[in-house]
Amino acid sequence: MPIENAPFSQTEYDRRIALTRGAMANAGLDALFVTDPSNQAWLTGYDGWSFYVHQGVLLRMDGEPVWWGRHMDMLGGRRTCWMHDDNVLGYGDHYVQSTVRHPMQDLAARIAAMGLDRARIGVEMENYYYSAKAHAVLGAELPDATLIDATALVNWQRIVKSDEELAFIRKAARISDKIVQTAIDRAEPGLRKNDLVADIFHAGITGVDEIWGDYPAIVPLTPSGLDATAAHLTWNGDPMRSGEATFFELSGCYRRYHAPLCRTVFLGTPPQEMLDAEKAQLEGIAAGLDAARAGNRTCDIANAFIDVLKTHGIHREGRCGYPIGLSYPPDWGERTASIRPEDETVLQPGMTFHFMPALWMDTWGLETTETILITETGPAEPFCTVERKLFVKP
Amino acid sequence: MPIENAPFSQTEYDRRIALTRGAMANAGLDALFVTDPSNQAWLTGYDGWSFYVHQGVLLRMDGEPVWWGRHMDMLGGRRTCWMHDDNVLGYGDHYVQSTVRHPMQDLAARIAAMGLDRARIGVEMENYYYSAKAHAVLGAELPDATLIDATALVNWQRIVKSDEELAFIRKAARISDKIVQTAIDRAEPGLRKNDLVADIFHAGITGVDEIWGDYPAIVPLTPSGLDATAAHLTWNGDPMRSGEATFFELSGCYRRYHAPLCRTVFLGTPPQEMLDAEKAQLEGIAAGLDAARAGNRTCDIANAFIDVLKTHGIHREGRCGYPIGLSYPPDWGERTASIRPEDETVLQPGMTFHFMPALWMDTWGLETTETILITETGPAEPFCTVERKLFVKP
């Protein structure tokens, strides 16, 4: 059923289904049950803040996918999924957060009714929205089926973006530019951090012209000073202080697509070691972008960056990035490839990454990052335009 | 180690640990591993947007709890947890979203090193942040331990709030009043929904006076017209229209504590059936509040509401509410008791619920709700002050 104002063309959804079925065939699956909200949206268009109850998409080797969730969310499914209404199913509210019933009992009965009670069914064992209990109940209710770990099977199909998807990421990037610039412009000693975050939210959700802002999958991360030596602390009501660096880890979001962008602001005069690190970081990012070419591997990006840092005497461990695009909380990464020395994913045109060569040191953090597109030829192209540097303000 | 500006007193954390250990003893557990971010924060103070990777709190029958997570988040743990630094542990980044290693391997080794390799260990089988894979790996790595489902064991200890917690919920309620009033004041035909949501976010995060706004565990839900017949659709860039109802399901948040509040705005002249439903709903809410007394049960609240609706010819199924307080995405409910006919939880003074007697009908939705406190004597007290009615604007 064509949905008014659907995000993507039916051709695009058909492409996604075909790719996923190819991977299912390779994995020897008869059916696949996906719980990752991003995978659900990517396959069916489903969009709602209902992933806190059990729901998912069942894809067989032919026919439309089936969206299944709480009855009251079935109505949202029928307003956002492209399938016919009889492929959008709901379970009763007495299953919700019950201590005596589990929604997977309802799902198992439906799977059995489809004749899949002896099938090989892929499930996403490593996903926020597929609990250990859900897996145990589904397995017990379908004793003759074989549940097979298909974690990230769909995610891997998402790694190369279509032109329709790239257009969404470009729109998200325009919002990212706006909100990072808002943060840089507004930061000053004495400003309460929550007031700054309020302005960031406002700028992001109003969006840019007709590009309305959706909620990003991660809230603004804006730690200052020693809090910025840790990666994921959120804000409070303390005022910004002179002599401290604050990093802004932000993303615009357009219809669930992201383009993360980080910049750091120092209020006052930065210590020399931070200026030295800035120089190393910028040189390392340039080397990383140059290595981010089709045919190279994800590790080549990480090693190019790490090698430059070494020449500046900085030892950097950990991941330097991940693929991005469509996402829901709690993470905007796609959880497939990683930009790190041990990852050998071959880069292809149309892949998009958050290249994230942040530095978290003993007394400060310095985040300068880019969301990048792997192109047909040449180095990666950043989606955003905010100047790449440490911003210093009085 | 006393944390500067910790949310709660050590006495309060000690109370929580003692309650939890009592429940552990009843369940015959030697140790408990909690992954629910709300439970982690409640026991240790840990606060960061890092729950998208594996982390948790291990509580034994004596000694401090141990917070365990990604190395870079260990630094955040040492800045937010009340325990000594050597009880805040980190695992290497090569475990993060790896296809060949799992963080539970690191956790299992630490558990074994504590002498718990043959212990009875509680785990939260039904939690967003304890995946089927995590459970499988932990079980395989600790073959002589017994993993026991302890879902909601900690959540149930949270259901009666301390005075310190009630003070936080009262602060959150002041923000809830502000943002719901902002939505009512700003709503008008032609206003883009995302621009309205931007104002709601701004009002919520700036907060009220010294009460700075934290991020609520659910984004603003603000659907209009037919979208409001579904419960959980998020906003887009469409303008608000005359002749449509919009419900606002919002919560202020103060240091992770919530006080959800919903009101509905009709632009234009509401249909008579909606005005009739408003009358029934308000009468039903009054009956529910009157039934929400210490010694009564959760089902008494639901039945009081449902019985009034019946006299008005409205059939209402599903849950009518849930306990609230400390929470992280994707849900602000505590996932223990439910206000519904089959739930017989006995009400105690200090319990707090989002009493949520919303109506989702065929062509419109009407949400009018209250966050309530069960008192020593008499009916429940709402935390918020926005007038309880359907708001009608030209």
Side-chain angles (χ1 to χ4, degrees), chain B residues 155-220:
Chain B
N155 305 60
W156 278 106
Q157 311 316 312
R158 291 162 45 197
I159 196 166
V160 175
K161 272 64 182 176
S162 68
D163 288 344
E164 290 189 47
E165 291 180 295
L166 292 176
F168 277 29
I169 296 175
R170 289 200 174 89
K171 290 182 178 183
R174 292 199 53 197
I175 301 179
S176 300
D177 275 336
K178 180 188 181 190
I179 59 181
V180 170
Q181 195 61 53
T182 297
I184 294 167
D185 291 346
R186 289 278 285 128
E188 62 179 5
L191 178 66
R192 295 195 312 172
K193 188 65 66 63
N194 64 305
D195 288 330
L196 177 54
V197 172
D199 287 348
I200 292 169
F201 265 117
H202 193 271
I205 307 295
T206 51
V208 177
D209 302 329
E210 85 295 346
I211 306 168
W212 58 271
D214 206 344
Y215 59 91
I218 302 179
V219 294

Side-chain angles (χ1 to χ4, degrees), chain A residues 3 10 174 194 200 228 248 265 320 360 380:
Chain A
I3 297 291
Q10 192 57 46
R174 293 199 53 200
N194 65 303
I200 291 168
F248 296 97
V265 174
C320 302
W360 298 286

Side-chain angles (χ1 to χ4, degrees), chain B residues 236-270:
Chain B
N236 61 25
D238 291 347
M240 301 189 76
R241 290 182 190 88
S242 190
E244 284 188 346
T246 301
F247 71 71
F248 296 97
E249 184 169 340
L250 309 177
S251 182
C253 184
Y254 179 72
R255 303 191 83 165
R256 310 300 332 125
Y257 279 76
H258 296 73
L261 181 67
C262 309
R263 290 293 184 268
T264 303
V265 175
F266 197 98
L267 300 179
T269 306

Side-chain angles (χ1 to χ4, degrees), chain A residues 73 79 126 128 131 227 232, chain B residues 79 126 128 131 227 232:
Chain A
D73 297 318
R79 295 189 66 74
E126 182 73 321
Y128 311 109
S131 67
D227 281 346
H232 299 115
Chain B
R79 294 189 66 74
E126 182 73 322
Y128 312 111
S131 67
D227 281 347
H232 298 114

Side-chain angles (χ1 to χ4, degrees), chain A residues 209-269:
Chain A
D209 302 331
E210 86 296 348
I211 306 168
W212 58 271
D214 207 345
Y215 60 92
I218 301 178
V219 294
L221 298 176
T222 65
S224 299
L226 286 174
D227 281 346
T229 65
H232 299 115
L233 297 185
T234 50
W235 67 87
N236 60 25
D238 290 345
M240 301 189 76
R241 291 183 188 86
S242 191
E244 285 188 346
T246 302
F247 70 70
F248 296 97
E249 184 168 338
L250 308 178
S251 182
C253 184
Y254 179 72
R255 303 192 83 165
R256 310 302 329 128
Y257 279 76
H258 296 74
L261 182 67
C262 308
R263 291 292 183 270
T264 303
V265 174
F266 197 98
L267 299 180
T269 306

